[in-house]
Amino acid sequence: MATDSGADLLIPQDLLPGDGRFGCGPSKVPATAVARLAEAAPLLLGTSHRQPPVKQLVGRLRSGISQLFSLPEGYEVALGNGGASLFWDLATLCLIERRSQHLVFGEFSSKFAQIVQNAPHLAPPEVIESEPGTCPQPHSDEDLDAYCLTHNETSTGVQGEVRRIGSPGQLVLVDGTSAAGGLPLDAGSVDAYYFSPQKCFASDGGLWVALLSPAAIERSDRLGSTSRWIPSSLDLNLALQNSRQDQTYNTPAVATLFLFAQQVEWILDQGGLSWAAARCRQSASIVYGWADRADYATPFVQDPNRRSQVVATIDLSPEVPAGAVSKVLRRNGIVDIDGYRKLGRNQLRIGLFPAVEPEDAARLTRAIDWVAERIGVADHA
Ligand SMILES: *Cc1c(COP(=O)(O)O)cnc(C)c1O
């Protein structure tokens, strides 16, 4: 059996990446950031989030994010507990007024559409869906007040298009969870760009961040002051008021904030968002280039322009079972490159966020080749 044949395969050292974490979230947290956290710990961890050390950290994070995304005048950075999934619930209450449009092309985009479909206070949304591996096109419609896009569909490795749609009174809400910090963005073309720190920002999960336009702030302010009931933990106004004071509504994970700020500042030091995007593009071109050449591997996404630069999905031919490959890799310290379970393909999914060294992406492809050759041979025997 192929799944057993790899049990004792030891990948040669010179093929192994320096760091074996290629998950799409949680993702690689650089050792240097963890060491800095250990240094900062005595004056930071276990101290009050209402006192200067943690407030300064939140302030550093907010200003670093503004700088990273070159936020236009009037845009603000809000944050709170709960991750991008919580932001879907929050947006359903605080940003969508009556009816939204959703581009659905994978697990994450479909989850948000589902939440809105179930919301009793909203009209049924317009859902435009396309096959996994592709991306649907939005269209403007006067009857809508929000367009919901996904910058990078993490489940399929498809990069969506982010641009303004509709008229000024209509909001563009973008799930940038796995894209933020790794893909170029014109923040002025969207009203809410939200994400979590466990993808391109090399931190832990549990937090959401949103870049908000004046129109989004105005909308949330207005909906909050009407008769609509908004629970406090889902209240964007409350979150924004706290963020403006460099705080969160309730207690945050301080270590997560610290690692997040480290990564934002590291990217800024290296050259900012364009630098990070170029680095991801380089890793992606290594991985897709390999998949194009290898006779047993093919990029899942047909249209090269839609292939994600931060999450590469690679189909393997049937004689090389992806599950068996990933099992051997895991025993050799290379982890989390399994395909998205619900997609149900013989596929590897590789996180290529800015923390990943492009050289490690190259080594990963060689390690996969090495394993595939041996598993394939065992399978034919
Ligand atoms: C990971 C992810 C989410 C969910 O993020 P959580 O922090 O786990 O809530 C949502 N959308 C996209 C595109 C993602 O990649």
Side-chain angles (χ1 to χ4, degrees), residues 240-256:
L240 185 58
Q241 282 162 25
N242 277 281
S243 303
R244 283 171 179 156
Q245 296 165 43
D246 293 333
Q247 302 207 32
T248 46
Y249 164 66
N250 64 323
T251 316
V254 177
T256 304

PDB file of all heavy atoms in Angstrom, residues 240-256:
ATOM      1  N   LEU A 240     -14.489  50.393  17.085  1.00  0.00           N
ATOM      2  CA  LEU A 240     -13.742  51.527  16.550  1.00  0.00           C
ATOM      3  C   LEU A 240     -13.402  52.541  17.645  1.00  0.00           C
ATOM      4  O   LEU A 240     -12.286  53.062  17.705  1.00  0.00           O
ATOM      5  CB  LEU A 240     -14.538  52.180  15.420  1.00  0.00           C
ATOM      6  CG  LEU A 240     -13.854  53.309  14.653  1.00  0.00           C
ATOM      7  CD1 LEU A 240     -12.547  52.844  14.018  1.00  0.00           C
ATOM      8  CD2 LEU A 240     -14.785  53.875  13.582  1.00  0.00           C
ATOM      9  N   GLN A 241     -14.378  52.785  18.522  1.00  0.00           N
ATOM     10  CA  GLN A 241     -14.108  53.706  19.638  1.00  0.00           C
ATOM     11  C   GLN A 241     -12.948  53.207  20.494  1.00  0.00           C
ATOM     12  O   GLN A 241     -12.080  53.986  20.899  1.00  0.00           O
ATOM     13  CB  GLN A 241     -15.349  53.844  20.532  1.00  0.00           C
ATOM     14  CG  GLN A 241     -16.417  54.756  19.958  1.00  0.00           C
ATOM     15  CD  GLN A 241     -17.769  54.526  20.629  1.00  0.00           C
ATOM     16  OE1 GLN A 241     -17.834  54.061  21.771  1.00  0.00           O
ATOM     17  NE2 GLN A 241     -18.845  54.835  19.916  1.00  0.00           N
ATOM     18  N   ASN A 242     -12.926  51.905  20.751  1.00  0.00           N
ATOM     19  CA  ASN A 242     -11.818  51.331  21.521  1.00  0.00           C
ATOM     20  C   ASN A 242     -10.506  51.403  20.751  1.00  0.00           C
ATOM     21  O   ASN A 242      -9.469  51.732  21.313  1.00  0.00           O
ATOM     22  CB  ASN A 242     -12.129  49.873  21.894  1.00  0.00           C
ATOM     23  CG  ASN A 242     -13.001  49.792  23.139  1.00  0.00           C
ATOM     24  OD1 ASN A 242     -12.500  49.929  24.250  1.00  0.00           O
ATOM     25  ND2 ASN A 242     -14.294  49.613  22.946  1.00  0.00           N
ATOM     26  N   SER A 243     -10.577  51.100  19.457  1.00  0.00           N
ATOM     27  CA  SER A 243      -9.359  51.112  18.631  1.00  0.00           C
ATOM     28  C   SER A 243      -8.728  52.501  18.610  1.00  0.00           C
ATOM     29  O   SER A 243      -7.508  52.630  18.656  1.00  0.00           O
ATOM     30  CB  SER A 243      -9.678  50.672  17.200  1.00  0.00           C
ATOM     31  OG  SER A 243     -10.264  49.390  17.202  1.00  0.00           O
ATOM     32  N   ARG A 244      -9.582  53.519  18.542  1.00  0.00           N
ATOM     33  CA  ARG A 244      -9.069  54.894  18.518  1.00  0.00           C
ATOM     34  C   ARG A 244      -8.274  55.218  19.769  1.00  0.00           C
ATOM     35  O   ARG A 244      -7.412  56.082  19.771  1.00  0.00           O
ATOM     36  CB  ARG A 244     -10.230  55.889  18.369  1.00  0.00           C
ATOM     37  CG  ARG A 244     -10.752  55.955  16.948  1.00  0.00           C
ATOM     38  CD  ARG A 244     -12.032  56.786  16.869  1.00  0.00           C
ATOM     39  NE  ARG A 244     -12.508  56.866  15.492  1.00  0.00           N
ATOM     40  CZ  ARG A 244     -13.775  57.101  15.165  1.00  0.00           C
ATOM     41  NH1 ARG A 244     -14.691  57.282  16.102  1.00  0.00           N
ATOM     42  NH2 ARG A 244     -14.117  57.152  13.891  1.00  0.00           N
ATOM     43  N   GLN A 245      -8.570  54.499  20.856  1.00  0.00           N
ATOM     44  CA  GLN A 245      -7.801  54.695  22.098  1.00  0.00           C
ATOM     45  C   GLN A 245      -6.743  53.614  22.270  1.00  0.00           C
ATOM     46  O   GLN A 245      -6.262  53.367  23.382  1.00  0.00           O
ATOM     47  CB  GLN A 245      -8.757  54.669  23.291  1.00  0.00           C
ATOM     48  CG  GLN A 245      -9.756  55.808  23.269  1.00  0.00           C
ATOM     49  CD  GLN A 245     -10.913  55.569  24.231  1.00  0.00           C
ATOM     50  OE1 GLN A 245     -10.704  55.129  25.353  1.00  0.00           O
ATOM     51  NE2 GLN A 245     -12.126  55.843  23.786  1.00  0.00           N
ATOM     52  N   ASP A 246      -6.405  52.952  21.175  1.00  0.00           N
ATOM     53  CA  ASP A 246      -5.410  51.881  21.197  1.00  0.00           C
ATOM     54  C   ASP A 246      -5.773  50.777  22.188  1.00  0.00           C
ATOM     55  O   ASP A 246      -4.914  50.268  22.921  1.00  0.00           O
ATOM     56  CB  ASP A 246      -4.006  52.444  21.481  1.00  0.00           C
ATOM     57  CG  ASP A 246      -3.522  53.320  20.335  1.00  0.00           C
ATOM     58  OD1 ASP A 246      -3.962  53.093  19.189  1.00  0.00           O
ATOM     59  OD2 ASP A 246      -2.721  54.246  20.577  1.00  0.00           O
ATOM     60  N   GLN A 247      -7.050  50.433  22.183  1.00  0.00           N
ATOM     61  CA  GLN A 247      -7.520  49.358  23.042  1.00  0.00           C
ATOM     62  C   GLN A 247      -8.441  48.444  22.237  1.00  0.00           C
ATOM     63  O   GLN A 247      -8.771  48.726  21.092  1.00  0.00           O
ATOM     64  CB  GLN A 247      -8.309  49.945  24.218  1.00  0.00           C
ATOM     65  CG  GLN A 247      -7.488  50.920  25.022  1.00  0.00           C
ATOM     66  CD  GLN A 247      -7.948  51.011  26.470  1.00  0.00           C
ATOM     67  OE1 GLN A 247      -8.429  50.035  27.037  1.00  0.00           O
ATOM     68  NE2 GLN A 247      -7.780  52.167  27.047  1.00  0.00           N
ATOM     69  N   THR A 248      -8.847  47.362  22.889  1.00  0.00           N
ATOM     70  CA  THR A 248      -9.887  46.513  22.310  1.00  0.00           C
ATOM     71  C   THR A 248     -11.043  46.486  23.295  1.00  0.00           C
ATOM     72  O   THR A 248     -10.862  46.740  24.490  1.00  0.00           O
ATOM     73  CB  THR A 248      -9.369  45.070  22.072  1.00  0.00           C
ATOM     74  OG1 THR A 248      -8.675  44.619  23.230  1.00  0.00           O
ATOM     75  CG2 THR A 248      -8.439  45.014  20.869  1.00  0.00           C
ATOM     76  N   TYR A 249     -12.228  46.164  22.785  1.00  0.00           N
ATOM     77  CA  TYR A 249     -13.425  46.168  23.624  1.00  0.00           C
ATOM     78  C   TYR A 249     -13.252  45.221  24.814  1.00  0.00           C
ATOM     79  O   TYR A 249     -13.552  45.575  25.948  1.00  0.00           O
ATOM     80  CB  TYR A 249     -14.633  45.778  22.768  1.00  0.00           C
ATOM     81  CG  TYR A 249     -15.845  45.375  23.571  1.00  0.00           C
ATOM     82  CD1 TYR A 249     -16.518  46.306  24.369  1.00  0.00           C
ATOM     83  CD2 TYR A 249     -16.321  44.064  23.524  1.00  0.00           C
ATOM     84  CE1 TYR A 249     -17.625  45.927  25.111  1.00  0.00           C
ATOM     85  CE2 TYR A 249     -17.428  43.692  24.259  1.00  0.00           C
ATOM     86  CZ  TYR A 249     -18.068  44.620  25.054  1.00  0.00           C
ATOM     87  OH  TYR A 249     -19.157  44.243  25.791  1.00  0.00           O
ATOM     88  N   ASN A 250     -12.768  44.012  24.553  1.00  0.00           N
ATOM     89  CA  ASN A 250     -12.455  43.125  25.688  1.00  0.00           C
ATOM     90  C   ASN A 250     -11.003  42.670  25.581  1.00  0.00           C
ATOM     91  O   ASN A 250     -10.281  43.067  24.662  1.00  0.00           O
ATOM     92  CB  ASN A 250     -13.446  41.962  25.794  1.00  0.00           C
ATOM     93  CG  ASN A 250     -13.410  41.035  24.612  1.00  0.00           C
ATOM     94  OD1 ASN A 250     -13.232  41.481  23.484  1.00  0.00           O
ATOM     95  ND2 ASN A 250     -13.557  39.759  24.846  1.00  0.00           N
ATOM     96  N   THR A 251     -10.570  41.852  26.533  1.00  0.00           N
ATOM     97  CA  THR A 251      -9.140  41.544  26.677  1.00  0.00           C
ATOM     98  C   THR A 251      -8.571  40.818  25.452  1.00  0.00           C
ATOM     99  O   THR A 251      -9.090  39.774  25.055  1.00  0.00           O
ATOM    100  CB  THR A 251      -8.927  40.648  27.918  1.00  0.00           C
ATOM    101  OG1 THR A 251      -9.719  41.174  28.975  1.00  0.00           O
ATOM    102  CG2 THR A 251      -7.467  40.594  28.314  1.00  0.00           C
ATOM    103  N   PRO A 252      -7.505  41.347  24.879  1.00  0.00           N
ATOM    104  CA  PRO A 252      -6.886  40.694  23.714  1.00  0.00           C
ATOM    105  C   PRO A 252      -5.776  39.726  24.151  1.00  0.00           C
ATOM    106  O   PRO A 252      -5.340  39.763  25.304  1.00  0.00           O
ATOM    107  CB  PRO A 252      -6.262  41.871  22.968  1.00  0.00           C
ATOM    108  CG  PRO A 252      -5.824  42.791  24.079  1.00  0.00           C
ATOM    109  CD  PRO A 252      -6.841  42.635  25.189  1.00  0.00           C
ATOM    110  N   ALA A 253      -5.320  38.888  23.214  1.00  0.00           N
ATOM    111  CA  ALA A 253      -4.145  38.036  23.448  1.00  0.00           C
ATOM    112  C   ALA A 253      -2.916  38.902  23.160  1.00  0.00           C
ATOM    113  O   ALA A 253      -2.661  39.265  22.010  1.00  0.00           O
ATOM    114  CB  ALA A 253      -4.177  36.818  22.534  1.00  0.00           C
ATOM    115  N   VAL A 254      -2.187  39.251  24.198  1.00  0.00           N
ATOM    116  CA  VAL A 254      -1.087  40.213  24.043  1.00  0.00           C
ATOM    117  C   VAL A 254       0.044  39.641  23.186  1.00  0.00           C
ATOM    118  O   VAL A 254       0.637  40.348  22.357  1.00  0.00           O
ATOM    119  CB  VAL A 254      -0.583  40.660  25.442  1.00  0.00           C
ATOM    120  CG1 VAL A 254       0.596  41.606  25.312  1.00  0.00           C
ATOM    121  CG2 VAL A 254      -1.716  41.340  26.214  1.00  0.00           C
ATOM    122  N   ALA A 255       0.335  38.356  23.339  1.00  0.00           N
ATOM    123  CA  ALA A 255       1.405  37.747  22.536  1.00  0.00           C
ATOM    124  C   ALA A 255       1.061  37.816  21.046  1.00  0.00           C
ATOM    125  O   ALA A 255       1.930  38.051  20.202  1.00  0.00           O
ATOM    126  CB  ALA A 255       1.627  36.298  22.964  1.00  0.00           C
ATOM    127  N   THR A 256      -0.213  37.629  20.732  1.00  0.00           N
ATOM    128  CA  THR A 256      -0.659  37.697  19.334  1.00  0.00           C
ATOM    129  C   THR A 256      -0.431  39.097  18.773  1.00  0.00           C
ATOM    130  O   THR A 256       0.054  39.264  17.649  1.00  0.00           O
ATOM    131  CB  THR A 256      -2.152  37.323  19.255  1.00  0.00           C
ATOM    132  OG1 THR A 256      -2.328  36.036  19.842  1.00  0.00           O
ATOM    133  CG2 THR A 256      -2.645  37.306  17.827  1.00  0.00           C
TER     134      THR A 256
END
